[in-house]
Amino acid sequence: MDYVFVKDSEGYVFKKPAEEVSDGERIISEKEYMRVSGLSSYKKKSASGKPSRKRAFGLPLKFRIQVTKEEKDFIDYAREHHLNYADLMQM
C-alpha cells in the first residue's frame, strides 16, 4: 500500500493511503510535511541506547486549537474589525 503526505483545506497535514486522497486535499512532499507538522524541529539522539528526542531549535512549535465553525467565524470577524477582548470584558 502506497502512502502519501496530504494537506487539507484548513492546513492540517497527515499521512494516508494514496487511494483515500479526496478532492479537498493536495499531495505534498515529505519535506513540507516534516516542516509543517513540526517533526523536523526534533532530532533523534540516543546517548544510552534508548530512543529519545531532543529539540533541534529553541523555537516552540506552532500552537493549534480546535474550534467550531461559529468560533472560527467570530475570530475572523474580531480580527477584521480589530476588536479588543480585554476592552469587551470590562463592559
Side-chain angles (χ1 to χ4, degrees):
M1 184 179 292
D2 292 332
Y3 287 94
V4 293
F5 301 101
V6 295
K7 185 175 192 178
D8 65 3
S9 61
E10 295 180 358
Y12 293 104
V13 294
F14 43 92
K15 182 178 177 181
K16 68 188 306 187
E19 302 86 37
E20 296 180 12
V21 177
S22 64
D23 294 336
E25 301 168 338
R26 77 178 164 93
I27 297 175
I28 59 173
S29 66
E30 183 177 3
K31 185 176 180 180
E32 184 179 354
Y33 168 77
M34 296 295 284
R35 182 183 55 79
V36 174
S37 67
L39 294 174
S40 65
S41 64
Y42 286 97
K43 64 180 177 183
K44 295 180 182 176
K45 184 177 181 180
S46 177
S48 63
K50 297 178 183 176
S52 63
R53 291 181 179 240
K54 182 178 179 182
R55 296 289 308 253
F57 306 106
L59 299 175
L61 301 176
K62 289 183 180 178
F63 181 73
R64 293 186 180 182
I65 58 171
Q66 292 182 346
V67 295
T68 64
K69 175 76 171 127
E70 292 82 18
E71 291 168 334
K72 183 178 178 185
D73 292 340
F74 175 75
I75 291 170
D76 292 338
Y77 175 83
R79 286 180 179 161
E80 288 175 12
H81 293 86
H82 306 289
L83 295 179
N84 187 343
Y85 182 73
D87 292 342
L88 290 175
M89 293 305 293
Q90 291 178 358
M91 291 183 164

